[in-house]
Amino acid sequence: KLRVQQAPHTLRCCRWQSCLQSAMIQVAADFGATLASVFAKGWALVTSLPLVGAVLRKLQDAIPDVNDQNILSFFALLMRYRSFDFVAFMRSHREALKRGQETGDFVPGVCNYYRLMADIITMSSGPFWHFVPMTQGLSRKECHDQFHHRMASFLSAQSEDKILEFGCGFGEIGRQVALLSGASVTGLTMADEEIAGGNERIKKAGLEGRCAMVQGNYHKMPFAEASFDKVFGVYTLKYSADLEVALSEMARVLKPGGRFVSYEILVTDKYDKENKQHRYLVDNISHSTCMPPLWSADAMRKAASKAGLAKKVEIDLCAPEAEGAWYSCFERTGIYNVLASPVTLKSVGLAETLRILPRSFADFYDYCLVHPTTDFVEAGRLGIVTGSVMMVWEKPQSK
């Protein structure tokens, strides 16, 4: 009886405490916003001064951008995924890779990989997942912005065009092309997470009327023949186990006179499959990402020709002297040195043993983070893999 009589009072106390807690959180948030605003205005004032401002701006440039590629994102990864089941993920990853190697169907493995890695890559590298020439004097973001202008130019994108970006991930490059050219861009991808994430980004960019996400496999696309004026893909045909089928689909949905642009990671003529080091690096790139073996540039040319496409341009964007290597972003940020260090790997293993990190995190770290990152750099240095070749084809006009 005594407890029943006190219940309303206890309930009122809990409500009062909850309201007080909410009010305190709101006050703290408002204070933080005001403080941030004052700091921003003060920083802008100080950095505008002739001598002191120049020094401070240099210091600011040295601080990693949380929205761009930086090594500090590793700690954010640990916080977000401290309860993730890496045991199950690594088991499913290896099983999917084995099935892909046996059947030639790597689609389930790629989807499984990106259910986790789409978020992790975005955390560690921002919205841009592909490699671009690292132009001297430009930041990584500025290099990507330059690449977007180049892609729009290679596409000859016009405001009246309907453009398809296949294997688009979250569709970032397609949205940039739409912003630059005024064209309508459709992004095609398989993963549920990328469809949802892409739609959110389209809405945030205010491009609902010009950009759309469609779920599907680019080996059998859900589009009618001659649906698009231009078609392009960036770092996506590396997931294809049948290049001829994939490129025949590009030709099918492309209008006569339309352009097909491809920017891929490829093995070069220097690659020697009998060389153990070469094979180790190239196999790691495929195995860690659950994809088939990398294609060569010659295989791309032959598949495009068989699909009836005529080559217009083939250029290595890193060829000019002012351009840094496509993989040098990892060297600039120090990410390569950290991931290549055996001390770091042993430290991660020790942290897992001490239960600071979740089970199988060390396995995931080595299999999916150390590789393929270090393999890209080392294979790039050897010249056996390239990530900066732009290829452009056209579909002949109907006779």
Side-chain angles (χ1 to χ4, degrees):
K1 289 182 180 179
L2 183 61
R3 284 195 297 271
V4 171
Q5 291 173 352
Q6 288 181 339
H9 172 71
T10 303
L11 185 59
R12 285 194 297 272
C13 287
C14 290
R15 287 175 178 169
W16 181 83
Q17 289 173 349
S18 177
C19 290
L20 179 62
Q21 186 179 33
S22 298
M24 291 175 68
I25 291 171
Q26 186 60 50
V27 168
D30 292 343
F31 177 74
T34 302
L35 192 62
S37 177
V38 171
F39 178 79
K41 291 176 181 177
W43 181 263
L45 177 63
V46 173
T47 53
S48 67
L49 298 174
L51 182 60
V52 177
V55 174
L56 290 176
R57 282 194 297 273
K58 285 187 176 294
L59 289 173
Q60 185 180 33
D61 291 340
I63 299 172
D65 185 343
V66 295
N67 294 314
D68 197 6
Q69 192 174 78
N70 75 86
I71 194 63
L72 298 181
S73 60
F74 181 70
F75 298 101
L77 185 159
L78 296 181
M79 290 298 295
R80 182 174 297 185
Y81 291 98
R82 62 187 181 279
S83 301
F84 185 79
D85 189 351
F86 287 101
V87 175
F89 174 78
M90 292 307 300
R91 184 190 306 117
S92 64
H93 183 83
R94 288 189 170 96
E95 289 173 353
L97 177 63
K98 186 173 184 291
R99 283 196 301 273
Q101 292 169 334
E102 292 171 348
T103 66
D105 182 9
F106 290 84
V107 170
V110 171
C111 289
N112 178 66
Y113 174 77
Y114 277 109
R115 284 192 182 97
L116 173 62
M117 293 304 297
D119 182 52
I120 290 177
I121 295 172
T122 301
M123 285 174 61
S124 63
S125 297
F128 310 123
W129 299 4
H130 52 288
F131 300 115
V132 297
M134 299 300 291
T135 307
Q136 294 176 18
L138 297 184
S139 68
R140 180 174 175 270
K141 279 187 174 181
E142 290 168 334
C143 291
H144 276 276
D145 184 56
Q146 180 174 257
F147 176 83
H148 298 146
H149 283 79
R150 281 180 164 181
M151 177 57 76
S153 176
F154 280 113
L155 284 165
S156 295
Q158 307 295 323
S159 59
E160 65 273 14
D161 284 342
K162 290 181 64 178
I163 298 177
L164 171 67
E165 180 187 8
F166 66 95
C168 68
F170 289 123
E172 182 63 36
I173 304 174
R175 287 193 300 279
Q176 295 298 325
V177 169
L179 287 168
L180 291 169
S181 66
S184 298
V185 181
T186 298
L188 180 76
T189 189
M190 294 185 295
D192 296 337
E193 291 78 4
E194 292 174 351
I195 291 290
N199 284 328
E200 289 175 6
R201 288 162 172 78
I202 288 171
K203 186 175 181 179
K204 187 175 180 181
L207 291 170
E208 294 102 318
R210 282 196 282 132
C211 292
M213 297 290 291
V214 174
Q215 192 162 26
N217 186 329
Y218 60 64
H219 293 90
K220 190 176 182 181
M221 294 190 281
F223 306 116
E225 291 185 11
S227 295
F228 298 97
D229 300 286
K230 315 283 167 61
V231 174
F232 78 99
V234 173
Y235 283 19
T236 184
L237 288 171
K238 65 183 186 290
Y239 296 113
S240 174
D242 195 330
L243 199 57
E244 290 186 359
V245 170
L247 266 64
S248 68
E249 272 293 272
M250 306 308 147
R252 183 183 70 81
V253 302
L254 192 60
K255 294 178 182 179
R259 282 200 164 193
F260 168 54
V261 179
S262 178
Y263 183 76
E264 280 296 327
I265 295 178
L266 303 165
V267 292
T268 70
D269 294 338
K270 290 184 178 181
Y271 173 67
D272 177 6
K273 64 181 180 180
E274 302 302 324
N275 184 302
K276 290 184 178 180
Q277 183 188 18
H278 289 192
R279 196 167 62 249
Y280 172 80
L281 294 171
V282 172
D283 285 351
N284 278 341
I285 291 171
S286 297
H287 297 169
S288 62
T289 53
C290 207
M291 65 186 186
L294 292 175
W295 294 102
S296 66
D298 191 51
M300 288 282 292
R301 297 184 198 105
K302 289 177 179 177
S305 178
K306 188 172 182 179
L309 299 171
K311 188 175 82 171
K312 304 299 291 184
V313 178
E314 181 176 327
I315 183 172
D316 185 349
L317 300 185
C318 283
E321 289 185 9
E323 303 293 2
W326 52 273
Y327 55 82
S328 62
C329 55
F330 293 131
E331 297 171 319
R332 278 191 185 189
T333 56
I335 289 175
Y336 170 75
N337 291 333
V338 172
L339 293 180
S341 170
V343 174
T344 308
L345 180 60
K346 288 179 181 178
S347 299
V348 169
L350 177 61
E352 182 184 326
T353 301
L354 297 174
R355 299 188 179 182
I356 297 170
L357 295 175
R359 286 178 59 212
S360 284
F361 182 83
D363 183 24
F364 165 76
Y365 172 82
D366 184 37
Y367 202 88
C368 295
L369 298 183
V370 173
H371 304 288
T373 306
T374 57
D375 305 299
F376 280 134
V377 175
E378 291 163 23
R381 288 172 177 173
L382 291 172
I384 61 173
V385 170
T386 179
S388 56
V389 173
M390 188 77 77
M391 295 179 166
V392 183
W393 292 272
E394 283 188 3
K395 182 175 181 177
Q397 292 282 359
S398 301
K399 294 181 180 180

